[in-house]
Amino acid sequence: FESLTKKSLFPQDYKGQKLAEQIFQGIILVSAVIGFIYGYITEQFGWTVYIVMAGFALSCLLTLPPWPMYRRNPLKWLPVQESGTEEKKAADRKPKRHAKS
């Protein structure tokens, strides 16, 4: 149950987020260049828009779902410390006295 919860709460780690961003930007850039060149050759701006939109759709398909390649470096959390927490909470609850001026 714990591994299922962690996967659903953290679909990507930090390195996975960086990879997804690089893939997204790379596909958009390549599709924009290809779309511009093809639109220039055919003299139709519509093809440029279609190719860029197809690149956007492809990049969304590859980067938005939580694919396993984005979860290869999970964060290592500190273990829960339960000893001494009640003593600290009781000490924190004491009212603080301010000096009279």
Side-chain angles (χ1 to χ4, degrees):
F1 180 72
E2 184 176 308
S3 64
L4 178 65
T5 305
K6 285 184 179 181
K7 285 182 182 179
S8 64
L9 291 176
F10 307 107
Q12 293 181 349
D13 55 42
Y14 290 115
K15 290 183 181 181
Q17 289 177 357
K18 182 179 179 182
L19 176 64
E21 181 70 22
Q22 290 172 342
I23 291 171
F24 185 81
Q25 289 180 355
I27 291 173
I28 294 294
L29 179 65
V30 168
S31 68
V33 169
I34 292 171
F36 178 78
I37 292 170
Y38 189 76
Y40 183 78
I41 290 171
T42 61
E43 296 180 5
Q44 292 186 358
F45 183 71
W47 279 108
T48 301
V49 174
Y50 292 143
I51 292 172
V52 171
M53 286 174 36
F56 177 76
L58 177 65
S59 62
C60 285
L61 179 69
L62 291 176
T63 58
L64 290 179
W67 299 109
M69 66 182 174
Y70 301 131
R71 290 184 270 145
R72 290 185 179 165
N73 303 300
L75 294 174
K76 294 181 176 92
W77 297 95
L78 292 175
V80 176
Q81 296 180 356
E82 295 190 23
S83 62
T85 56
E86 291 179 16
E87 294 172 9
K88 282 186 174 182
K89 287 181 183 177
D92 290 340
R93 290 184 195 149
K94 291 181 183 177
K96 296 181 181 179
R97 296 184 181 183
H98 298 284
K100 294 181 181 180
S101 358

